[in-house]
Amino acid sequence: MKTIRSFDDFVQDLREAGFSMGGDRDGGVFTLAAFFGPEIRWHTEDAQTDPWEWRIRVLREYRDLAYGKFFFGNGGYITGEWFPCFYAARRAAAPENVGGRKMRFQGTKTLEEEYEDGNVSREALTVYRLLQEYRELPAHLLRQYGGFIGKEYASAFERALVELQAGFYISICGQARKVSKKGEEYGWFSSVFCLTEDFWGEEVMREAEKTDPEEAYRRLEAQIRKLNPQAKPERMRKFILG
């Protein structure tokens, strides 16, 4: 990796790495933040040098780069080249263990079937069904339409979003603000979500669905070791399998 001094540098290094934690902490695996030069500063609102801005900018400008809460419940990036490996490893079509660990999800099952098996929360199922209906919704409307109103529902709603992103059922596809009755935007931006297959498109999803889970795991493990030879096996397994 070369020193990252701008958004363009970041995109180039991300494509080379294939994936990265989104913040300064590497989770014991890898983060491109370790290569930030002194020009890179958080929360300045400078689109060229503020990594906080890059989360949405990659989604807006590229169709083969994803940002979401993929790793350890935290934000991270995955490129289209490496997404099929993550998808195959986490959503293996067969119930065999992958990477020495029992799979949480099995790709032959629908989310409704996973819910019946106790692998998915009721809140996650509600969010998923809303996105099946609307295809794309900002978080504040998902909260409203799903009935997650009030502080007592906040944690369950956020857990559902993380659960669905980590399982590659939904993806962040942009951001939006609330709209008043007069049609005027107001308030903070919130993430917009869509179904993962809508985000990546048919070609990438076909590649993901035909990728062998065990081979995918080995490829990801090898890439992590290339990026961070000191990464411990258990941290790598958690990073890969979610």
Side-chain angles (χ1 to χ4, degrees):
M1 301 295 114
K2 67 175 182 301
T3 300
I4 295 172
R5 304 184 184 280
S6 67
F7 174 73
D8 292 337
D9 289 344
F10 174 76
V11 170
Q12 185 174 341
D13 276 13
L14 177 58
R15 292 192 190 284
E16 181 178 344
F19 44 81
S20 171
M21 294 291 290
D24 293 331
R25 297 181 180 179
D26 65 8
V29 180
F30 178 73
T31 178
L32 284 169
F35 300 91
F36 288 174
E39 301 89 347
I40 307 305
R41 293 180 296 168
W42 293 85
H43 304 299
T44 63
E45 299 185 359
D46 187 319
Q48 280 297 323
T49 57
D50 180 359
W52 187 251
E53 300 295 319
W54 299 349
R55 302 167 305 124
I56 301 301
R57 189 173 174 188
V58 296
L59 301 177
R60 186 171 61 244
E61 298 184 17
Y62 300 98
R63 294 306 304 161
D64 65 333
L65 302 177
Y67 174 85
K69 292 193 174 181
F70 304 130
F71 311 120
F72 309 121
N74 295 311
Y77 296 89
I78 299 175
T79 67
E81 178 183 356
W82 285 91
F83 170 76
C85 287
F86 280 105
Y87 182 93
R90 293 191 190 186
R91 299 273 298 280
E96 292 87 357
N97 292 355
V98 174
R101 179 172 165 184
K102 190 175 185 297
M103 298 305 301
R104 181 180 180 189
F105 299 111
Q106 295 178 23
T108 54
K109 295 183 179 181
T110 65
L111 191 74
E112 287 77 8
E113 290 172 326
E114 294 287 4
Y115 171 73
E116 293 297 329
D117 289 346
N119 295 326
V120 175
S121 68
R122 180 183 296 276
E123 292 82 5
L125 181 61
T126 298
V127 169
Y128 184 74
R129 284 175 170 171
L130 283 169
L131 288 173
Q132 283 184 308
E133 179 180 357
Y134 290 94
R135 309 309 291 187
E136 186 176 299
L137 282 174
H140 58 269
L141 289 183
L142 283 170
R143 187 180 291 110
Q144 177 184 332
Y145 296 169
F148 303 108
I149 308 301
K151 293 182 179 179
E152 66 270 28
Y153 297 107
S155 294
F157 176 67
E158 292 300 327
R159 284 196 300 270
L161 293 179
V162 174
E163 183 179 5
L164 290 167
Q165 289 174 79
F168 299 125
Y169 286 102
I170 70 173
S171 296
I172 298 175
C173 55
Q175 63 180 7
R177 298 167 68 190
K178 294 180 180 179
V179 179
S180 70
K181 292 181 179 179
K182 295 181 179 180
E184 299 173 344
E185 294 184 345
Y186 70 97
W188 297 101
F189 282 101
S190 61
S191 296
V192 176
F193 292 90
C194 65
L195 298 177
T196 294
E197 55 266 33
D198 289 345
F199 179 87
W200 288 108
E202 292 184 6
E203 183 176 349
V204 174
M205 292 305 298
R206 280 198 301 269
E207 179 68 25
E209 289 166 358
K210 72 179 184 182
T211 299
D212 176 73
E214 195 64 50
E215 176 62 23
Y217 187 93
R218 287 195 294 268
R219 284 190 61 201
L220 287 165
E221 190 177 45
Q223 183 69 357
I224 292 171
R225 291 194 183 281
K226 177 181 175 182
L227 296 170
N228 179 12
Q230 285 73 48
K232 296 181 179 180
E234 182 55 36
R235 297 306 289 173
M236 289 194 290
R237 281 195 294 273
K238 180 67 175 175
F239 183 84
I240 294 170
L241 299 180

